Amino acid sequence: MHLNNNSQWRDLFSGRNGAISFALSFGVVIHAINILMATTILPSVVTDIGGMGLYAWNTTLFVAASIIGSVLSARLLNLLGAKGAYLTGTILFFIGSLLCAIAPKMEVMLIGRFVQGLGGGLLFALSYAMVNIVYDQALWPRAMALISGMWGVATLIGPAIGGIFAQLDAWRYAFGIMLPIMLFYGIYLWFILPKNDSNAPKSTSQSLPYLQLIILTVAVLLISSGSLSSSLTINLLSIVAVFGLIGVLIFCEKRFTVRLLPSNTFKGLSLHALLYLTISLLAIGMTCEIFVPYYLQSLHMQTPLASGYMSALMALGWTVAEVISASWQGAKMRFSILSGPIIVFIGLVVLAFVIPNPMLQSENAISLFIILFALFLVGYGIGFGWPHLLTRILQAASTQDKDIAGASITTVQLFATALGSAFAGMIVNLNGFNSGTPEGLSSSASALFLFLALAPLLAIYTAWKITRCSY
């Protein structure tokens, strides 16, 4: 068995398979690095071109566009083939990076981030969609592991790129450096990927869930718009409207034959509903990473590079936890699913008390160590049961819903991230973040982490219900 495993890894990296493996994994690396890089340099961007009130929109629009890209990826793959679909995503990402690099004000930056997100969402989703097209079935588990592992690579590279350019007061070059990279990637894809593939899906009879996609996008943008206002009334109205749209989405999913989610999702509190709720709540808890670099730089006097790597500890913790727990079964698997939200809750509560309160110089080392450990805990808790939650989504789906279930993972995760980012922006803006004063930043940090801690607290219940279901 050991020799067989080694042989399969060699097959994945040898010959044409190796060239394709690089193409697929590099697309995920680009998407992931861009997220971490942008998080690191956003404080410098705001200092240079302004737009503090639009801070959270950088992530919200990026992820909202990524949702659109991920949902459209399967149809694009069907219509244009592997080469055409990938090149479309590459061109969009190139254009978005160019707009970000030359942005004279935050509004232009947001347009660039949206176009980037559209291209990044395509590249991200296509990498998973291509696995069953270009590899033999025996290689699928290794290919999935390779693609997922690229987030760990991005954890090391993304903050470094953002931090170095931010410290050099050259944040535009962080986006500009993506231009020759995407040009190289496009040329590489042109020669490596097939224009068409016999294993690719050919049916065009299945329509896209356009209405549900529009509802998701409008919901994210609506709550983001509300978060820009300092009025509690406007914020509450936007929240009510968003949950109303989610209700309409559920109605559509129940009634329409073209769906985003498996058919049994909304039949009571189904297993699929519990799984989607759990991964959504955990993803919302992770959205604190948008503001962590800014708080570390403003309240704890950390450099952009240091703050970027400190916030990246969440992604590192996620990866470490997945590696540790991925092979667990039975009681250990149930333990990882249930304890994950508990660990996230503890990490966020600790951050709520430590980040808003800068220590004296003599106590700063202790404070930073606690922050580092808490950030790692948040990511670790999310990753601890994550692979089992995603696997169970596929296992619980009927045969005809397998494709929908696989695609839904990315869509639900991205939507939850966008929603969480918008909620986070709303909370900090209502609690003094826009003032830029130490008092306002401290107040907004406390409110943010305590609010986000509610998400894993709810996830403890949904995770418990999941562990009570038969496996």
Side-chain angles (χ1 to χ4, degrees):
M1 183 66 179
H2 178 70
L3 290 175
N4 186 46
N5 286 339
N6 287 339
S7 174
Q8 289 177 341
W9 279 114
R10 285 196 297 270
D11 289 343
L12 190 66
F13 291 111
S14 62
R16 184 168 179 79
N17 275 349
I20 292 178
S21 295
F22 176 80
L24 304 192
S25 57
F26 194 70
V28 178
V29 166
I30 290 170
H31 180 74
I33 285 178
N34 186 72
I35 292 175
L36 294 169
M37 178 193 73
T39 301
T40 305
I41 64 174
L42 274 179
S44 299
V45 174
V46 170
T47 300
D48 187 20
I49 64 175
M52 175 70 81
L54 299 171
Y55 193 93
W57 272 61
N58 279 275
T59 299
T60 300
L61 287 178
F62 181 86
V63 179
S66 296
I67 292 173
I68 298 174
S70 66
V71 174
L72 297 179
S73 61
R75 176 52 60 89
L76 203 63
L77 184 62
N78 185 34
L79 293 176
L80 303 180
K83 183 181 294 185
Y86 255 96
L87 287 175
T88 300
T90 302
I91 292 170
L92 286 171
F93 199 92
F94 180 94
I95 295 172
S97 299
L98 178 61
L99 288 173
C100 290
I102 64 175
K105 54 184 179 178
M106 184 58 73
E107 288 78 5
V108 178
M109 171 68 71
L110 294 179
I111 295 173
R113 291 288 286 160
F114 184 87
V115 178
Q116 259 194 341
L118 192 59
L122 280 170
L123 295 177
F124 185 29
L126 283 170
S127 294
Y128 288 102
M130 286 286 292
V131 167
N132 70 316
I133 296 175
V134 297
Y135 299 114
D136 294 332
Q137 187 169 349
L139 296 179
W140 289 1
R142 274 75 186 170
M144 289 291 188
L146 172 66
I147 293 170
S148 299
M150 292 303 102
W151 285 90
V153 175
T155 300
L156 299 176
I157 301 175
I161 295 175
I164 290 172
F165 283 113
Q167 287 188 212
L168 294 173
D169 292 323
W171 62 264
R172 295 182 185 275
Y173 287 92
F175 292 108
I177 199 174
M178 301 302 296
L179 302 180
I181 292 175
M182 297 311 295
L183 184 61
F184 159 77
Y185 187 49
I187 295 172
Y188 183 83
L189 292 171
W190 179 265
F191 289 103
I192 293 300
L193 291 182
K195 183 176 181 180
N196 293 296
D197 193 279
S198 58
N199 295 325
K202 300 299 181 185
S203 175
T204 58
S205 60
Q206 181 75 352
S207 300
L208 285 170
Y210 292 110
L211 182 57
Q212 294 97 311
L213 182 58
I214 292 172
I215 292 172
L216 285 178
T217 305
V218 171
V220 171
L221 297 180
L222 182 61
I223 197 168
S224 297
S225 300
S227 70
L228 295 178
S229 173
S230 59
S231 169
L232 179 60
T233 302
I234 294 177
N235 280 272
L236 290 177
L237 287 175
S238 69
I239 292 174
V240 171
V242 166
F243 279 101
L245 286 172
I246 292 175
V248 175
L249 177 67
I250 293 174
F251 176 83
C252 295
E253 286 288 295
K254 285 183 175 181
R255 298 292 189 275
F256 294 177
T257 56
V258 181
R259 301 180 309 275
L260 282 173
L261 306 176
S263 57
N264 65 342
T265 300
F266 297 109
K267 293 180 179 178
L269 197 59
S270 67
L271 177 57
H272 268 126
L274 290 169
L275 290 164
Y276 289 130
L277 279 172
T278 304
I279 65 173
S280 295
L281 291 167
L282 291 175
I284 287 172
M286 187 78 169
T287 55
C288 63
E289 67 178 346
I290 303 170
F291 295 95
V292 167
Y294 194 91
Y295 288 133
L296 291 176
Q297 293 177 42
S298 302
L299 295 176
H300 294 267
M301 304 301 115
Q302 296 300 304
T303 65
L305 182 59
S307 66
Y309 270 108
M310 290 173 71
S311 62
L313 279 173
M314 285 187 282
L316 180 61
W318 186 331
T319 303
V320 170
E322 281 192 308
V323 171
I324 292 174
S325 66
S327 62
W328 288 3
Q329 299 179 358
K332 293 178 72 176
M333 175 184 63
R334 289 189 287 272
F335 169 77
S336 68
I337 291 175
L338 182 57
S339 60
I342 298 174
I343 296 172
V344 178
F345 175 76
I346 293 172
L348 288 173
V349 170
V350 171
L351 290 173
F353 288 98
V354 180
I355 283 189
N357 300 299
M359 301 291 182
L360 298 174
Q361 189 65 34
S362 59
E363 302 171 309
N364 198 44
I366 298 175
S367 174
L368 288 178
F369 176 79
I370 295 173
I371 290 173
L372 293 175
F373 183 68
L375 290 171
F376 185 85
L377 275 185
V378 172
Y380 189 92
I382 295 173
F384 203 34
W386 193 261
H388 305 297
L389 293 170
L390 302 191
T391 300
R392 192 67 181 124
I393 288 174
L394 296 178
Q395 291 174 340
S398 61
T399 302
Q400 61 267 30
D401 277 345
K402 290 293 184 185
D403 291 340
I404 293 177
S408 70
I409 293 172
T410 303
T411 303
V412 171
Q413 181 183 345
L414 289 172
F415 177 69
T417 302
L419 201 60
S421 301
F423 271 118
M426 181 184 301
I427 293 299
V428 299
N429 287 342
L430 288 173
N431 286 274
F433 182 77
N434 288 339
S435 69
T437 64
E439 295 78 15
L441 292 175
S442 293
S443 175
S444 65
S446 295
L448 173 66
F449 291 109
L450 289 176
F451 173 79
L452 292 180
L454 295 175
L457 191 61
L458 293 173
I460 294 173
Y461 172 74
T462 57
W464 175 76
K465 293 286 288 184
I466 291 170
T467 60
R468 303 286 290 179
C469 298
S470 59
Y471 279 81

